[in-house]
């Protein structure tokens, strides 16, 4: 065999082995160092604010980091406070309105049971009594089997639910520990940001620094572009829903529009988690006009989401719309709703590595020097 192809095969195996080993190493390291990774991400995100306070306000770096963290958490605390206040207000409204709607729903069920179920039951009883004993025993056995399966399923669900309660409760101390370590890591990383950056540049070879910088800049652009795209889509959905609800003269239109816009982030459910039950209830309660209006509004929201998502993602992240659409679909089919996030992110990483000539360098290593 030609030695050239043997060397290429060996290099190819080395590259694959290095990639697999690197991925496994990152996975296991991330399991024990994720608070510090969270701290690194937070430090990276607040670094512009810290630099602003340090340069413009003439603050020491340590004080700038401390005040920056206070500002960030004050903003989050304010948003959570507003959200809780809105939830309390909405809960008070629901406590007043839901019993009336529940009475309407119960009356509808009673009327439907009286008009439909009882006559059907009488007909089935008449047909059942005309069957021979063997057929009756078969039907009864099947009904019992179905009841047993339902009971087993419900019992398993309840057992699993209560069995997970200790895990849920144990999560809170762990979350508090992770939060403390992440905050401390954020403080120290942000305080020594430029010293750590200089140290990292010294440890990396020149070629790796050049490629790494290109990858980092593109990924940063893609990350903020992805966040911007999602906020844009949520804003568009919220505005459309608000306009529709105002036209339909629905009470608390602003609150409902904001809540539905936030729910739109959930890929599987999305706005359907709000609209579908609402439309069904409006139809059952006899409010046909509202049901039709909500149905039309829901269709408009769905259509604009499907049309705008690939376009906005591609323009914000800098990818081709068709490639973005393919990554969304492939990610969704492979790993479910998380694939709608992982798919575009993977495409961004591959595109970034390609622009940084990483694949070219790897291929050149595999080929080696031509004889």
């Amino acid at each position: 065999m030609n030695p050239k192809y043997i060397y290429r095969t060996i290099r190819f195996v080395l590259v694959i082995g290095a990639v697999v080993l690197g991925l496994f190493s990152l996975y296991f390291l991330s399991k024990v160092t994720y608070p510090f990774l969270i701290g690194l991400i937070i430090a990276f995100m607040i670094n512009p604010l810290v630099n602003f306070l340090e340069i413009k306000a003439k603050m020491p770096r340590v004080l700038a980091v401390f005040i920056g963290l206070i500002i960030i958490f004050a903003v989050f605390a304010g948003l959570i406070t507003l959200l809780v206040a809105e939830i309390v207000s909405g809960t008070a409204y629901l406590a007043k309105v839901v019993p009336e709607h529940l009475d309407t729903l119960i009356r509808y069920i009673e009327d439907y049971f009286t008009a439909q179920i009882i006559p059907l039951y009488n007909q089935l009883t008449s047909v059942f009594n005309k069957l021979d004993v063997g057929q009756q025993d078969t039907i009864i056995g099947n009904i019992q089997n179905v009841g047993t399966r339902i009971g087993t399923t419900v019992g398993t669900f309840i057992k699993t639910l209560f069995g997970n309660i200790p895990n849920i409760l144990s999560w809170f101390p762990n979350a508090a520990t992770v939060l403390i370590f992440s905050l401390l890591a954020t403080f120290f990383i942000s305080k020594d940001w430029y010293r750590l950056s200089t140290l990292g540049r010294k440890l990396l070879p020149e070629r790796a620094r050049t490629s790494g910088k290109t990858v980092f800049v593109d990924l940063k652009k893609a990350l903020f572009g992805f966040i911007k795209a999602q906020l844009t889509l949520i804003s568009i959905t919220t505005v459309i829903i608000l306009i529709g609800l105002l036209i339909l003269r629905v009470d608390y239109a602003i609150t409902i529009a904001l809540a539905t816009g936030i729910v739109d982030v959930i890929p599987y459910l999305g706005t359907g988690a709000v609209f579908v039950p609402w439309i069904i209830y409006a139809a059952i309660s006899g409010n046909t006009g509202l049901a039709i209006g909500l149905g039309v509004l829901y269709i408009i929201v769905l259509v604009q989401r499907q049309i705008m998502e690939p376009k906005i993602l591609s323009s914000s992240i800098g990818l081709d719309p068709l490639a973005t659409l393919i990554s969304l679909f492939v990610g969704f089919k492979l790993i479910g709703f998380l694939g709608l996030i992982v798919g575009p992110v993977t495409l961004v990483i591959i595109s970034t590595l390609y622009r940084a000539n990483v694949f070219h360098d790897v291929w050149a290593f595999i080929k080696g020097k031509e004889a």
Side-chain angles (χ1 to χ4, degrees):
M1 183 181 289
N2 192 330
K4 178 174 67 174
Y5 295 108
I6 295 177
Y7 294 147
R8 287 181 179 179
T9 303
I10 293 173
R11 292 190 186 100
F12 178 76
V13 173
L14 288 174
V15 170
I16 297 299
V19 171
V20 173
L21 181 62
L23 291 176
F24 272 104
S25 300
L26 286 175
Y27 173 73
F28 286 110
L29 283 174
S30 64
K31 291 181 68 175
V32 295
T33 61
Y34 64 91
F36 304 97
L37 295 177
I38 294 173
L40 177 62
I41 294 172
I42 297 175
F44 168 73
M45 296 183 70
I46 69 171
N47 193 54
L49 175 61
V50 174
N51 289 339
F52 176 82
L53 294 174
E54 183 182 15
I55 296 172
K56 299 296 183 180
K58 307 296 183 181
M59 292 183 181
R61 182 79 183 181
V62 175
L63 182 60
V65 173
F66 185 73
I67 292 179
L69 286 174
I70 291 177
I71 291 174
I72 296 299
F73 279 94
V75 171
F76 274 104
L79 292 175
I80 292 174
T81 302
L82 291 176
L83 180 62
V84 170
E86 193 63 39
I87 291 174
V88 170
S89 175
T91 303
Y93 171 74
L94 291 176
K96 181 179 67 175
V97 172
V98 166
E100 302 174 1
H101 293 328
L102 189 59
D103 290 339
T104 303
L105 182 61
I106 291 173
R107 285 197 299 270
Y108 173 82
I109 293 174
E110 290 175 348
D111 294 340
Y112 181 81
F113 192 87
T114 303
Q116 303 293 333
I117 303 300
I118 291 179
L120 179 62
Y121 171 77
N122 293 331
Q123 293 176 8
L124 291 176
T125 302
S126 176
V127 173
F128 180 79
N129 291 330
K130 293 178 182 179
L131 300 175
D132 56 46
V133 177
Q135 292 173 325
Q136 291 179 356
D137 291 339
T138 301
I139 293 174
I140 292 173
N142 290 332
I143 292 174
Q144 289 175 345
N145 289 334
V146 172
T148 301
R149 291 178 182 176
I150 293 174
T152 303
T153 303
V154 173
T156 303
F157 172 77
I158 293 174
K159 182 180 178 181
T160 303
L161 179 64
F162 283 100
N164 286 330
I165 289 178
N167 296 331
I168 295 173
L169 294 177
S170 65
W171 177 83
F172 287 100
N174 181 64
T177 303
V178 171
L179 178 62
I180 292 172
F181 275 93
S182 298
L183 288 176
L184 291 173
T186 300
F187 179 80
F188 289 111
I189 291 173
S190 183
K191 180 177 70 72
D192 298 326
W193 180 265
Y194 293 103
R195 184 178 66 83
L196 295 174
S197 300
T198 303
L199 178 62
R201 284 194 293 268
K202 290 180 179 179
L203 294 176
L204 290 175
E206 177 64 28
R207 180 61 182 166
R209 288 204 303 270
T210 304
S211 300
K213 183 178 181 181
T214 303
V215 172
F216 177 77
V217 170
D218 283 358
L219 286 179
K220 182 173 73 171
K221 177 183 175 183
L223 173 64
F224 285 104
F226 184 80
I227 296 174
K228 177 184 175 184
Q230 292 300 323
L231 292 176
T232 303
L233 289 169
I234 293 173
S235 301
I236 293 173
T237 300
T238 303
V239 170
I240 292 175
I241 294 173
L242 177 60
I243 293 173
L245 295 180
L246 289 175
I247 293 174
L248 295 173
R249 297 182 179 179
V250 174
D251 294 333
Y252 292 89
I254 297 177
T255 303
I256 296 173
L258 289 173
T260 310
I262 294 173
V263 172
D264 190 41
V265 177
I266 306 174
Y268 265 135
L269 299 176
T271 54
V274 175
F275 275 106
V276 172
W278 195 0
I279 292 170
I280 293 174
Y281 173 78
I284 289 176
S285 61
N287 198 343
T288 308
L290 179 61
I292 294 174
L294 292 174
V296 172
L297 179 59
Y298 181 44
I299 292 173
I300 292 173
V301 170
L302 283 180
V303 171
Q304 72 83 20
R305 178 79 184 196
Q306 298 303 316
I307 293 175
M308 297 298 294
E309 185 169 15
K311 180 177 176 58
I312 291 177
L313 279 176
S314 62
S315 61
S316 298
I317 302 178
L319 297 175
D320 180 75
L322 179 60
T324 305
L325 186 62
I326 293 173
S327 69
L328 288 168
F329 181 78
V330 172
F332 175 75
K333 297 300 289 184
L334 289 178
I335 57 176
F337 75 92
L338 285 177
L340 297 175
I341 298 175
V342 174
V345 170
T346 304
L347 181 61
V348 167
I349 294 174
I350 294 174
S351 176
T352 303
L353 294 176
Y354 176 78
R355 286 196 296 269
N357 291 323
V358 173
F359 296 131
H360 178 271
D361 294 341
V362 171
W363 180 244
F365 170 76
I366 292 174
K367 287 176 63 178
K369 293 182 178 180
E370 297 290 343

